[in-house]
Amino acid sequence: MSKPRIAEWTELRGLAYLAVVLQHCIGEYIYRSDIQQPDSVMLAMLYHLTRFGTPAFVFLSSALLFYHGNKPIGYPRYIGRRFRDIYVPFLCWTIVYWICTQNWSTAQWGQISFYQGMFKEMIIPVSGYHLWFVVMIFQFYILFPLFAKAAGQVQTFLRRYSLKRRKQLVLAVMLIAAAAYALLLHWSYYDMITWSTRLPAFWEALLDYRTYNFVMYFFYLMLGAVCAYMTDTWRGLAQQTLPWNVFVFIGLFMLMGHTMLIQSGDTINLNISTYLKPSTFVLIVSQLLLLYGLLLHLQKDKRSEPFRRMLNWIGRYSFGGYLVHALVLSFISYFTRPLSLGDHHFTATLITFVVVASASLGISWLFAHLPGGSWIVGSKVRQRLNWRPLRFQLPSSKRASKGTQELG
């Protein structure tokens, strides 16, 4: 029997899409020379509300794979599906962004350097600055069978314990993983810049492009797997911690905003709050739990159904919207950059955000309904057919019988 659909996952994906678009719109306006300090401060504070965007995509990608990965099909078929739905659209848009960012003429089509640069973009995308995410997450897709086998061994080990004991063990492992991840981020943010100068060229390149490596996001991948196998427990955690997490998030939000303003000086530097920073990591985990709890709370309120339907629709077409939104933003910026906005940069950012998010989703919807459009924007319905070397079924329990599996 197919597993029940987890409604809040699609809704969270919709929120993550909006967060990513908003942060890129903020980046477009906050570095302009004519921006005034009040707008800079407001945009910097708004920026911290978007920090959960990309990690939420990582979290959901992992959760979907582990949750729906119980159908035993061959690896070639599994990776073929992923290549078609994820990597082919990435290749299409990589070419588009490369061409659009080149000052090229007809003669350049015959130069080998033009195609060398395009090929390099397919490995390390720069012209499409947001496409790095596809390169990173596809590494996880390729290696997923190994993680699935490891998860199967973990489940076999946990079967010998009671349900309560399983939860305790999983919590202990996740706390250790969180500490290890925070240490990794500390090294990444403070130390790896100096490391790269003392290493051979290959290792130096790995450190320089570490944001493209899925290992740098391993905790969110683990968090997604736990959510997939412990859906009821995860929901309970998000709801039970919701009141306290509001205060935790507000405190972290104020602290990081203050840190950015102090360290930036006269010009705001958004890179101070990069994903690969320990304090940002804590903020993101708090945001994920907070938003998850709020989405669960909205499920109980019938008045929120129109809002939830909107998020669900956005989530369905978010991948295509993600691929195209940077191009739409560049098109709008072509007209806004010559303008003197004065003290209206904050307003311009919000208007641009609404236009870019809406137009990108519209383009995604249009291609998704055209013949062969899935090759450009991916499948509008997430594939649930994934390769699985082992069945991850646990002995039935009262909670599992409600439709979700509990790892612990």
Side-chain angles (χ1 to χ4, degrees):
M1 296 179 61
S2 60
K3 295 181 180 178
R5 177 176 170 271
I6 309 297
E8 64 267 18
W9 288 0
T10 307
E11 296 163 7
L12 182 59
R13 188 162 61 243
L15 288 174
Y17 164 79
L18 296 176
V20 170
V21 175
L22 178 55
Q23 68 177 272
H24 289 160
C25 292
I26 292 172
E28 171 60 35
Y29 287 93
I30 199 171
Y31 292 120
R32 297 191 179 184
S33 59
D34 61 334
I35 190 172
Q36 298 184 13
Q37 186 180 23
D39 281 348
S40 294
V41 174
M42 287 299 298
L43 290 177
M45 299 303 291
L46 186 61
Y47 182 74
H48 287 112
L49 295 177
T50 70
R51 294 287 72 200
F52 75 95
T54 300
F57 278 132
V58 179
F59 165 78
L60 291 170
S61 298
S62 175
L64 285 165
L65 268 183
F66 282 105
Y67 185 74
H68 293 301
N70 63 340
K71 296 182 179 180
I73 67 173
Y75 182 78
R77 188 181 178 191
Y78 155 77
I79 201 63
R81 290 283 182 88
R82 291 294 159 188
F83 186 84
R84 182 194 66 187
D85 294 336
I86 303 295
Y87 206 76
V88 171
F90 160 77
L91 293 177
C92 293
W93 286 103
T94 296
I95 295 173
V96 170
Y97 283 105
W98 170 249
I99 293 177
C100 290
T101 55
Q102 300 302 303
N103 295 321
W104 55 279
S105 62
T106 305
Q108 283 184 309
W109 287 95
Q111 297 179 5
I112 189 172
S113 60
F114 183 85
Y115 299 98
Q116 288 176 338
M118 183 183 299
F119 178 76
K120 184 178 179 180
E121 289 285 316
M122 297 176 183
I123 303 174
I124 305 176
V126 176
S127 300
Y129 52 83
H130 61 304
L131 297 180
W132 67 268
F133 174 80
V134 181
V135 174
M136 182 274 296
I137 202 65
F138 202 75
Q139 300 168 35
F140 172 68
Y141 290 153
I142 292 175
L143 298 175
F144 173 71
L146 298 178
F147 302 133
K149 184 177 293 186
Q153 294 175 350
V154 170
Q155 286 189 314
T156 300
F157 172 78
L158 290 175
R159 287 193 183 101
R160 68 187 70 176
Y161 299 103
S162 65
L163 184 61
K164 181 179 180 179
R165 183 59 174 168
R166 294 177 197 173
K167 293 180 180 180
Q168 294 173 344
L169 289 172
V170 171
L171 177 60
V173 170
M174 293 306 295
L175 289 176
I176 294 173
Y181 186 64
L183 180 60
L184 175 64
L185 296 187
H186 178 85
W187 290 338
S188 173
Y189 191 79
Y190 296 102
D191 301 323
M192 287 187 180
I193 295 178
T194 59
W195 292 357
S196 61
T197 60
R198 302 191 298 266
L199 294 173
F202 174 76
W203 294 104
E204 180 182 356
L206 285 181
L207 289 181
D208 290 341
Y209 292 99
R210 57 189 177 276
T211 56
Y212 291 71
N213 194 324
F214 81 100
V215 176
M216 300 302 299
Y217 306 88
F218 79 83
F219 183 80
Y220 302 114
L221 296 171
M222 292 180 63
L223 209 61
V226 171
C227 181
Y229 293 122
M230 303 179 67
T231 309
D232 287 338
T233 300
W234 176 266
R235 285 171 167 169
L237 177 65
Q239 291 176 308
Q240 292 168 10
T241 59
L242 182 59
W244 299 101
N245 203 25
V246 170
F247 294 102
V248 172
F249 172 74
I250 292 175
L252 291 169
F253 177 80
M254 295 174 62
L255 175 62
M256 292 196 61
H258 181 263
T259 301
M260 176 179 286
L261 295 177
I262 292 297
Q263 295 184 3
S264 292
D266 296 333
T267 303
I268 296 295
N269 181 9
L270 298 181
N271 289 326
I272 292 175
S273 295
T274 177
Y275 299 124
L276 306 182
K277 185 180 181 181
S279 57
T280 309
F281 160 59
V282 179
L283 176 73
I284 290 171
V285 174
S286 175
Q287 281 183 293
L288 286 176
L289 278 171
L290 179 61
L291 291 173
Y292 208 104
L294 291 174
L295 289 174
L296 292 174
H297 181 73
L298 290 178
Q299 291 179 0
K300 304 174 184 179
D301 189 353
K302 292 185 178 180
R303 294 173 296 180
S304 67
E305 288 185 4
F307 177 68
R308 291 180 56 226
R309 284 198 297 268
M310 180 190 71
L311 288 181
N312 187 278
W313 186 86
I314 293 174
R316 290 176 61 197
Y317 298 99
S318 60
F319 182 61
Y322 177 86
L323 293 174
V324 71
H325 83 274
L327 186 63
V328 177
L329 178 58
S330 297
F331 177 78
I332 294 176
S333 300
Y334 177 81
F335 296 97
T336 61
R337 286 180 182 178
L339 301 178
S340 178
L341 298 176
D343 59 351
H344 299 294
H345 284 78
F346 182 76
T347 303
T349 299
L350 296 181
I351 294 175
T352 301
F353 161 66
V354 173
V355 174
V356 172
S358 302
S360 301
L361 289 170
I363 294 172
S364 179
W365 177 89
L366 178 62
F367 276 110
H369 288 81
L370 291 177
S374 61
W375 295 91
I376 301 175
V377 295
S379 176
K380 67 176 180 178
V381 179
R382 292 278 179 168
Q383 294 291 338
R384 296 187 176 186
L385 196 59
N386 300 308
W387 187 81
R388 191 82 153 202
L390 296 173
R391 299 192 67 84
F392 279 45
Q393 301 290 340
L394 286 175
S396 59
S397 65
K398 292 181 180 180
R399 295 183 74 97
S401 64
K402 295 180 180 180
T404 57
Q405 293 183 6
E406 290 289 329
L407 182 110

